[in-house]
């Protein structure tokens, strides 16, 4: 998973998805101040030109300390943008993997309505903020469990958590983990492409293994009706 900045760097070095032998997910999850310059049409153009397989689209900052009325309005705007652009991504054979946004179940349900109307079964959740000011993994874990129960997606990609020690504690529906660790475990730019790809694959294998073993079932956290 890379953002527009890395797309340009990869293009300058002629590191295409085919050259790297990987599927690329383009993401709009970057610094909030830069999001003002990031539009859906630009996402489609960048993703199509580079050959991205999927996209985390239309990221919109929503802050917990904002008034609820402002949060609801922001989520509505985000959901409206999603509804408009999801068909555009699909027309270009780019899979949209939308972010679940909202602090309350009501706010998140605004997203779920759009997801349902477009048959979205894979979603993403941005979790880096849970580690910016201390260790808040339990809160992230609870939020992911809530999303799994509320929407029941087939897959959740968590962004901002790639710890091989913590991933096994996530619910089984979490099937992907994205973040910046790949930059620290590979020598992209200083080593030949084949070497960097091999370094990435060795690390990614450990992450995939962490995701596939020991994940905690939902009933361990919530008394969900129908789960026995």
């Amino acid at each position: 998973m890379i953002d527009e900045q890395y797309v340009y760097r990869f293009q300058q070095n002629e590191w295409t998805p085919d050259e790297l032998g990987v599927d690329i997910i383009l993401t709009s999850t970057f610094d909030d101040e830069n999001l003002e310059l990031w539009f859906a049409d630009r996402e489609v153009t960048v993703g199509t030109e580079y050959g991205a397989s999927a996209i985390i689209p239309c990221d919109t900052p929503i802050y917990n300390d904002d008034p609820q009325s402002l949060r609801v309005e922001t989520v509505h705007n985000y959901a409206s943008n999603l509804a408009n652009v999801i068909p555009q991504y699909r027309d270009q054979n780019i899979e949209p993997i939308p972010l679940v946004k909202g602090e309350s179940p009501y706010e998140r349900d605004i997203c779920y309505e759009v997801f349902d109307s477009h048959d979205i079964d894979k979603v993403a959740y941005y979790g880096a903020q849970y580690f910016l000011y201390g260790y808040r993994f339990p809160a992230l874990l609870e939020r992911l469990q809530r999303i799994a129960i509320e929407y029941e997606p087939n897959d959740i990609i968590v962004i901002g958590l790639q710890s091989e020690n913590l991933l096994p504690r996530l619910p089984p529906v979490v099937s992907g983990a994205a973040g910046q660790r790949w930059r620290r475990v590979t020598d992209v730019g200083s080593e030949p492409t084949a070497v960097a790809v091999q370094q990435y694959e060795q690390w990614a294998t450990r992450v995939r293994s962490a995701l596939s073993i020991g994940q905690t079932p939902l009933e361990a956290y919530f008394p969900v009706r129908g789960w026995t």
Side-chain angles (χ1 to χ4, degrees):
M1 178 181 293
I2 57 176
D3 61 22
E4 181 190 26
Q5 175 185 7
Y6 276 93
V7 168
Y8 292 146
R9 290 184 185 180
F10 280 26
Q11 287 175 321
Q12 289 172 356
N13 289 279
E14 299 183 349
W15 296 330
T16 66
D18 288 340
E19 169 85 9
L20 297 172
V22 295
D23 292 326
I24 296 293
I25 300 177
L26 178 65
T27 181
S28 60
T29 53
F30 42 77
D31 292 343
D32 290 350
E33 58 267 23
N34 294 329
L35 287 174
E36 297 180 1
L37 305 175
W38 185 244
F39 305 99
D41 289 345
R42 186 170 172 178
E43 286 183 344
V44 173
T45 299
V46 173
T48 302
E49 289 180 351
Y50 186 61
S53 299
I55 190 166
I56 311 289
C58 300
D59 188 21
T60 304
I62 298 173
Y63 304 108
N64 187 38
D65 55 358
D66 283 341
Q68 184 179 23
S69 59
L70 177 58
R71 295 202 312 264
V72 169
E73 178 184 359
T74 306
V75 175
H76 271 298
N77 290 336
Y78 165 72
S80 177
N81 289 335
L82 276 180
N84 288 331
V85 301
I86 285 174
Q88 296 182 49
Y89 302 134
R90 288 176 168 165
D91 286 345
Q92 299 298 325
N93 295 316
I94 299 175
E95 180 184 6
I97 307 175
L99 290 155
V100 177
K101 309 290 286 190
E103 290 300 315
S104 69
Y106 173 76
E107 295 163 32
R108 293 192 293 275
D109 193 57
I110 297 169
C111 298
Y112 301 152
E113 289 180 5
V114 173
F115 298 171
D116 272 334
S117 66
H118 290 277
D119 298 320
I120 295 292
D121 58 13
K122 180 182 293 182
V123 302
Y125 187 74
Y126 188 75
Q129 71 272 20
Y130 290 86
F131 303 97
L132 291 177
Y133 306 103
Y135 177 83
R136 297 177 56 223
F137 175 74
L140 172 60
L141 179 59
E142 181 177 354
R143 178 59 55 84
L144 292 171
Q145 292 283 357
R146 293 286 181 189
I147 292 170
I149 292 168
E150 291 166 351
Y151 186 62
E152 298 183 351
N154 290 341
D155 298 278
I156 297 175
I157 296 176
V158 61
I159 301 172
L161 174 65
Q162 293 180 309
S163 166
E164 296 160 39
N165 294 323
L166 296 178
L167 290 176
R169 297 173 59 184
L170 300 182
V173 72
V174 177
S175 60
Q180 298 296 321
R181 286 199 177 195
W182 65 270
R183 296 167 54 189
R184 298 195 293 270
V185 300
T186 63
D187 294 315
V188 174
S190 60
E191 291 286 353
T193 302
V195 174
V197 169
Q198 183 179 29
Q199 292 171 335
Y200 173 82
E201 282 299 329
Q202 290 174 345
W203 167 75
T205 297
R206 299 196 300 271
V207 172
R208 286 191 288 266
S209 177
L211 277 169
S212 65
I213 59 172
Q215 290 183 304
T216 307
L218 288 174
E219 62 267 26
Y221 293 91
F222 303 110
V224 184
R225 186 177 301 172
W227 286 80
T228 57

